[in-house]
Each structure stands twice: as C-alpha cells, then as structure tokens.
Amino acid sequence: MSAKIICDLTELTTVKTGRFQYYGIAKTVAEIAEKFAANYRDVRFVVYSVDFQEFFEVHPIISDDPSENIDLNVPDFEIFKFRRKFHAKNPERHLVSILGPFVSWNNRRRIKATGYRFVPADMRGAKLFSAARPKLMVDMIRTIKRRKLNTTFHPLLHDLIPLHDLGGHTRKSFPFNMFYDSKYVIENTDQMITNSQFTLDDIARFANDGRFVMPKSTAAVPLVHECFEGTEEPVIKVPNTPYFLAVGSLLGRKNLNVVFDAMVLMQKSGRTVPKLILAGTKRKHISRALKSGKWAVIAPFVEQIHSPNQTDLVRLYRSAVAVLMPSRIEGWGLPAGEALWFGIPAICSTAPVLKEVCGDLGLYFDPDDPQELVTHMDRLLDDPGFRGDLCKRIEAKKSTFRTWADVAHDVYESMENY
C-alpha cells in the first residue's frame, strides 16, 4: 500500500475573502483541495502552525448534495504574522530574534481561544502536498526535518518571477527573501511540482546558472482554463458598448502600460476608443497615472471595478470583445485561460507561458509594441467575421481545456507514482 497523501491548507488561514474573490495562490490551494476532498477520500488535510511547530488535522465538510460547494473547514484565527528567516542581516531580523518568542506565545494563546479542536496530525511516512507560498513551506520543511517525521515533501511552485529582477521590486528585500525561500524549498524537496512547463523550465535555467541545485524529481502540472459560474446576485452594470477586459492588471511587470499606449494610438488616429474594464483590486497608482501626462486623454475610457463577485466577473467575461493579457512574465495566466473557457478571445503578450495556456487560439503581440496590440483590437472590433470564426474555434476546443479536476488528478497521480 502506498504512503498516505496529505494536503496542506495553511495558505487559506491567511485569506479573509470569499471563495472566488481571489486569484493566484490561495485560489489554487482551495480548488485543488476541494477536488481532492470530493474525489480522493484517502487524502487527508492539515494546516501548519509555526507557533506550535505542529501540523493539525482539518476535516472538510462534504454535503450529500453534489451541487453544493465543499466546506474545507479551515480554522479561522487572527494572529500576528511576521517573517522569521531573512536572506541577510538587517534591523528587522534582529528585532524578530528579540520579540519572536513573545509574539509566538501570544499567537498560541489566540489560536487556543478560537475554540477550534486542534488535533495534531500523524505525519509519519506521509506524502505532504503544499501549494502555499515558499515562505510558509520553509517552516514546514524545518519541522519535518527537526522531528525526523520521514514525511516526503511535494510542493507546487507557482513561479520564480521576482528572481528575474532582484533589484526591481518596490520592496527591496522581497525578491531576495523569495529567492532564499525558493532556494531552500527547491533544494529540500522530494518531488518538485510546477504549475506550468514554463515554470519547470525556469527552475532548470536558474539551476544551470548555479543559483540552486535542481531537484531530483520534478513534474509539470499545468493549471486550468475552467472558470465557475457565480452564485451571488449580480451587482454591477455591464457596459452596453464594446469593451476590452483586463483582470488584475498593474503597471510594471503586468504591463498595463502597453494597453494604455495602444488606446492613445487609437485616439490619435481619430477612431472611437473602446472602453477598458479593469477588474480586480482598485489601484491608486493607476488612477494617478491617468490623471496627467500622455494617458490623460484616454482616462474617460478606463473603468476600474473593484473586486467583482464571481457572478459579475463571469458576466464581464462573456460580454467582452476580448480579454487582454499584456504581462511580460507569468507563472500561468488564469484570466487568459478563463476567457477561452467562456469562448472569448484572449489577446496575449508573447510571454512563453501564455502560449502554453492559449496555444493556437490566442492572438499574440510583442509586449513592447502597442501598435501590434492596436492591430488585434481593431480587427476584433471591425471584422465580425474574424471574431466569430475565432470564437467558434475556441468553442470547438473546449473539451480539451483543463479543469481543476484535471489538476487535482495530475497532482495525485504524480505523487502516487513518486
């Protein structure tokens, strides 16, 4: 009999939003865990507490009605979170060494006060899967090693994006700390799982450069195209004029800059500028950027919709001319995949992973060439036949798109075969 598989839910103790009101790591953790709970009854679940240096059992609640969502039953507690390991000496590191024991004591007190029945999990000889942030994984690995639990560790790594520009982040210590965390996880893992072939290739590139030692066992498990319908009541009014949609875009690496530049080119050419909807966290720096300078002329055409619920997000997808994904680099690219899921074109940068997501269904442009982006936008707006044929091709391939059940299955199989 193979070793038992345990799924880590620690990442979900750090989020306070609804099930569908987040993207990225927390969403990935939740969706894979739900599919594990529904389809693999031999999988167990835990959360890790660095303050107790312990893994605790979690028991998801599964309804007899298959139409109801699974409640992962993750304990809800408010604790003070702080980084415990740093890539270099600094004043914050010294402060943590002094105050850390007191903070941990206070956190343990708060956790006990929740009334949740915290039962230590038997981790001996198990295979532990975690899709958490690397900094959370580091503490788990240290506890496994210190207690000699004979637990093999199977992390899902989302990306190594900050390592591509160690000096370019607004928080100067962030990419260096991430490098420290990622290096430790990669070099102390039993089987490394990645969310795309691109991320696996990225790890290999950094390993070849001598940044860290390549894991002995790896598996690429691409993420999804699937996007669920919402259960909430609609709140927003969807525009009744043509618009393009970008989900969670920012200036900088997310490269919303090129979209604004493309809209300026459209305005200067004398044509009607389409509306741009930005769905996600409302960003002050975007509002500031549109108030003056060259982008001020297109400000009336840009609307930020703050954290739309899932029902409204799906409505925005379905009514868009296309979804824009201008990022210079991504670990996967959920909005592009979700656009295809709803039969909507995706205009993507030539970032390698976006071609992995969209294949021959995507429209691609150089992320530094706003005119190339304009060409795609114009054609979708002005040539209904072209857009209609593209939408038909997308719909015809929907059966090949990846679902969260596919992801959970591939993770499970890769761990079973390890």
Side-chain angles (χ1 to χ4, degrees):
M1 181 178 178
S2 60
K4 55 184 175 286
I5 292 176
I6 296 177
C7 180
D8 163 53
L9 302 179
T10 306
E11 184 72 36
L12 301 184
T13 66
T14 70
V15 295
K16 295 295 180 184
T17 54
R19 178 171 180 261
F20 290 114
Q21 294 180 7
Y22 50 78
Y23 271 83
I25 292 177
K27 181 178 180 68
T28 301
V29 172
E31 299 295 357
I32 293 176
E34 288 190 12
K35 294 303 178 287
F36 275 165
N39 301 320
Y40 303 94
R41 296 304 173 91
D42 57 326
V43 175
R44 294 163 48 220
F45 300 86
V46 298
V47 294
Y48 175 77
S49 168
V50 66
D51 299 298
F52 282 97
Q53 298 284 294
E54 184 64 85
F55 294 90
F56 293 109
E57 293 180 1
V58 172
H59 300 284
I61 301 171
I62 306 175
S63 171
D64 292 333
D65 183 350
S67 66
E68 292 189 10
N69 294 330
I70 293 171
D71 180 358
L72 291 174
N73 197 28
V74 177
D76 183 13
F77 45 79
E78 292 279 358
I79 60 173
F80 183 78
K81 304 176 183 70
F82 60 98
R83 172 170 285 278
R84 298 163 190 263
K85 301 294 180 181
F86 298 84
H87 72 279
K89 292 182 178 180
N90 57 43
E92 186 179 356
R93 180 180 182 179
H94 179 65
L95 186 63
V96 166
S97 67
I98 297 174
L99 298 180
F102 170 75
V103 174
S104 284
W105 170 83
N106 191 46
N107 283 346
R108 290 194 296 271
R109 182 181 61 82
R110 288 187 173 195
I111 291 172
K112 289 178 180 178
T114 64
Y116 190 93
R117 186 170 177 266
F118 289 94
V119 177
D122 181 5
M123 305 295 292
R124 295 171 296 179
K127 297 178 180 180
L128 176 62
F129 168 74
S130 178
R133 287 167 292 170
K135 70 177 182 179
L136 300 179
M137 295 182 189
V138 168
D139 294 319
M140 299 179 203
I141 295 172
R142 291 181 183 277
T143 292
I144 289 170
K145 287 178 172 292
R146 179 178 55 81
R147 293 175 54 186
K148 299 180 181 179
L149 294 174
N150 191 32
T151 303
T152 59
F153 193 57
H154 306 252
L156 187 150
L157 193 69
H158 299 268
D159 62 66
L160 291 175
I161 290 172
L163 276 65
H164 286 263
D165 185 11
L166 288 174
H169 201 277
T170 53
R171 288 163 49 205
K172 299 301 182 183
S173 63
F174 173 78
F176 292 97
N177 283 330
M178 183 178 175
F179 173 67
Y180 173 92
D181 297 336
S182 299
K183 174 181 170 67
Y184 186 87
V185 171
I186 290 169
E187 293 188 338
N188 289 275
T189 188
D190 295 280
Q191 178 193 39
M192 175 61 66
I193 303 171
T194 62
N195 65 345
S196 63
Q197 185 61 47
F198 167 76
T199 301
L200 182 54
D201 294 341
D202 214 25
I203 292 173
R205 281 190 289 270
F206 281 112
N208 289 336
D209 289 343
R211 300 286 190 96
F212 39 68
V213 178
M214 190 71 179
K216 291 181 180 179
S217 178
T218 60
V221 176
L223 287 189
V224 299
H225 302 86
E226 181 180 24
C227 184
F228 295 107
E229 301 287 345
T231 58
E232 310 93 333
E233 289 296 317
V235 176
I236 67 170
K237 182 178 180 180
V238 175
N240 56 12
T241 56
Y243 67 89
F244 291 85
L245 174 66
V247 179
S249 292
L250 296 165
L251 303 176
R253 172 180 69 82
K254 292 289 188 178
N255 199 28
L256 193 57
N257 314 47
V258 74
V259 180
F260 289 168
D261 288 342
M263 294 173 69
V264 170
L265 289 176
M266 297 173 87
Q267 193 269 343
K268 286 183 177 179
S269 71
R271 71 157 296 152
T272 301
V273 180
K275 195 174 187 67
L276 174 66
I277 300 293
L278 304 178
T281 302
K282 191 170 183 178
R283 306 288 182 176
K284 291 182 180 179
H285 77 275
I286 291 178
S287 300
R288 289 195 298 267
L290 291 168
K291 285 182 178 179
S292 61
K294 63 178 180 178
W295 293 334
V297 294
I298 54 102
F301 307 101
V302 180
E303 180 182 356
Q304 294 190 68
I305 297 180
H306 180 70
S307 297
N309 65 37
Q310 188 68 11
T311 297
D312 284 336
L313 180 59
V314 170
R315 292 170 65 222
L316 288 170
Y317 271 128
R318 286 199 164 115
S319 298
V321 175
V323 168
L324 304 180
M325 195 82 185
S327 305
R328 297 182 180 281
I329 187 172
E330 290 285 347
W332 176 249
L334 283 174
E338 291 179 342
L340 298 185
W341 184 261
F342 291 116
I344 300 302
I347 306 179
C348 304
S349 78
T350 51
V353 78
L354 296 180
K355 291 190 174 182
E356 190 175 340
V357 176
C358 298
D360 63 358
L361 299 176
L363 301 175
Y364 301 100
F365 68 97
D366 182 329
D368 293 313
D369 188 349
Q371 183 57 60
E372 191 174 3
L373 173 56
V374 168
T375 299
H376 288 311
M377 295 171 73
D378 278 344
R379 192 171 187 190
L380 289 175
L381 287 166
D382 298 337
D383 188 344
F386 172 76
R387 185 180 183 278
D389 289 343
L390 178 56
C391 290
K392 288 178 182 178
R393 285 202 297 118
I394 293 170
E395 188 62 32
K397 286 195 173 183
K398 186 169 182 177
S399 63
T400 68
F401 296 163
R402 287 181 63 78
T403 66
W404 286 109
D406 293 329
V407 176
H409 172 270
D410 291 349
V411 169
Y412 184 92
E413 288 295 310
S414 66
M415 293 178 66
E416 275 282 278
N417 297 329
Y418 172 76

